[in-house]
Amino acid sequence: MSLVELSAQADASFDRIPIIDLAQVSTHNPDIIRVLAKQVRDACMNVGFFYVKNHGIPEGTIHSALSASKDFFSLPLESKLELDMRKNNFKGYNPVLSSNNDPENRGDLHEGFEFGWEDLVAKPSVDEGATARSLAANVWPSDAPGFREALLEYYHAAVNLGKSLFPLFALALDLPADFFEDKTKNSAALMRVLHYPPQTGPVDDRVIGIGAHTDWECFTILWQEPEIQALQVLNTEKRWIDAPPIPGTLVVNIGDQLSRWTNNVFKSTVHRAINRSGVRRYSIPLFFGTDYDVRLEPIPSCVSPERPPKYEVVTAGDYVKERLKATYGH
């Protein structure tokens, strides 16, 4: 059965998000990889979200990134605003309510810090790959010791995990395992650390942690703070399904680039975050995209006379830039 036929049968009225075990993601056993690829295919077609366990990122690396993030967000607002991302081509700090992912809402109740590729050992000068990797050079706080090092250590670990997922996505689409390799040479991956203040007082459904939206890149790898429920995923019955933190797992969800590439065979599913736990919440998403000069033309196996191309062809970079402008108003 073709991918288009399988997609037509896909059921997105899900009430749970599957868990995929990556313990053998590096095996050379084709039978094991085939099973993994099928699990990924089913999750991407039916849900657009899945958890991964045995993902290979040490807990100590995650803990260090979280601790450094808490230190940064505890700085005075005027210190953080020196790195306002609206002045730095979308790198650096964004204050509470400065973004609005859902046009129906009045703002996102979180603050964040965004950065992209950078060598961990030494800050690189701008090179030919810099534009393909990100929109601008990173900026870092001078009054948060160890922040850059802790965040970049986690960033590189998450990027390596993302690279291990691309062959599974390719095989899930009946493509050669190395299909994405020449399209992700410059690691167009952006990471954000997010702090959600507790949402207390009268409930205002037009101001929540992050409004309903889809992600923009190929896929997202998300760490979310344990024991605090906030992430919700929308199914086709328009029901919000909780995606609670599960110990030892990360959340992976499909973004718009991969959805456009697959002509919606893989689903970029609407989701949101609401922190009504009464306590602060932290999360760290890595948005892993293709190189910015890659044209998002539909994969031939995802197109048929019954399923013609759904999107205008654009480059990955142009798509991300337009979404950034729409979200942050610049």
Side-chain angles (χ1 to χ4, degrees):
M1 186 176 294
S2 71
L3 289 172
V4 170
E5 291 169 323
L6 286 169
S7 180
Q9 295 181 2
D11 177 15
S13 60
F14 56 88
D15 57 11
R16 66 179 185 86
I17 296 169
I19 301 174
I20 297 177
D21 190 342
L22 296 181
Q24 299 190 71
V25 70
S26 298
T27 182
H28 296 292
N29 185 322
D31 294 331
I32 293 174
I33 294 298
R34 193 176 301 115
V35 170
L36 275 176
K38 184 181 184 305
Q39 291 173 348
V40 168
R41 174 192 285 180
D42 291 346
C44 293
M45 285 185 172
N46 289 297
V47 184
F49 271 75
F50 55 94
Y51 294 92
V52 292
K53 65 180 182 179
N54 293 315
H55 49 71
I57 301 179
E59 284 298 318
T61 299
I62 296 173
H63 178 77
S64 295
L66 173 62
S67 179
S69 299
K70 290 180 176 180
D71 289 344
F72 170 76
F73 288 122
S74 69
L75 292 173
L77 179 60
E78 57 268 25
S79 295
K80 293 181 286 189
L81 284 175
E82 291 177 2
L83 301 174
D84 192 325
M85 68 187 305
R86 292 166 293 187
K87 303 174 185 176
N88 294 299
N89 206 9
F90 304 112
K91 292 294 182 64
Y93 174 71
N94 69 280
V96 173
L97 300 179
S98 63
S99 65
N100 191 25
N101 275 274
D102 184 348
E104 299 298 318
N105 286 355
R106 293 192 287 114
D108 296 327
L109 192 66
H110 71 265
E111 58 179 341
F113 186 91
E114 182 154 332
F115 60 99
W117 177 272
E118 184 173 316
D119 187 79
L120 183 57
V121 177
K123 295 181 182 179
S125 59
V126 176
D127 59 26
E128 293 181 357
T131 301
R133 293 189 185 110
S134 59
L135 297 175
N138 294 326
V139 294
W140 299 102
S142 59
D143 45 0
F147 179 76
R148 172 184 173 271
E149 291 76 14
L151 268 295
L152 282 177
E153 182 178 355
Y154 177 67
Y155 173 92
H156 283 279
V159 164
N160 287 337
L161 171 60
K163 288 179 177 178
S164 75
L165 293 177
F166 270 117
L168 293 180
F169 287 122
L171 293 170
L173 291 164
D174 294 333
L175 298 168
D178 63 354
F179 175 80
F180 294 105
E181 193 170 310
D182 65 341
K183 303 166 186 65
T184 53
K185 288 182 178 179
N186 288 306
S187 185
L190 295 171
M191 178 169 279
R192 301 191 73 204
V193 291
L194 299 172
H195 166 226
Y196 298 82
Q199 189 166 358
T200 57
V203 173
D204 182 350
D205 285 333
R206 293 187 61 211
V207 178
I208 63 174
I210 293 183
H213 68 286
T214 56
D215 290 342
W216 315 333
E217 290 81 359
C218 286
F219 58 89
T220 302
I221 299 172
L222 172 70
W223 176 87
Q224 49 180 340
E225 191 165 18
E227 300 181 3
I228 301 177
Q229 167 56 44
L231 178 62
Q232 295 182 317
V233 181
L234 189 67
N235 70 11
T236 54
E237 295 176 343
K238 304 303 179 185
R239 289 188 296 113
W240 288 105
I241 307 300
D242 286 346
I246 298 175
T249 71
L250 301 169
V251 176
V252 177
N253 65 275
I254 299 304
D256 295 348
Q257 287 181 3
L258 196 50
S259 182
R260 293 173 75 102
W261 225 340
T262 64
N263 203 32
N264 279 4
V265 168
F266 281 5
K267 300 182 184 304
S268 182
T269 303
V270 174
H271 53 286
R272 67 184 183 183
I274 304 177
N275 180 28
R276 295 205 173 110
S277 64
V279 298
R280 300 178 186 277
R281 174 186 183 255
Y282 298 86
S283 69
I284 309 177
L286 173 78
F287 305 103
F288 207 132
T290 183
D291 294 351
Y292 281 164
D293 59 352
V294 171
R295 288 169 56 82
L296 299 174
E297 298 175 304
I299 294 168
S301 61
C302 298
V303 178
S304 73
E306 297 75 29
R307 193 186 188 95
K310 297 177 180 292
Y311 299 103
E312 176 188 0
V313 176
V314 297
T315 66
D318 285 345
Y319 183 75
V320 170
K321 289 174 186 176
E322 288 305 310
R323 290 297 302 268
L324 279 167
K325 291 176 183 177
T327 300
Y328 294 99
H330 286 265

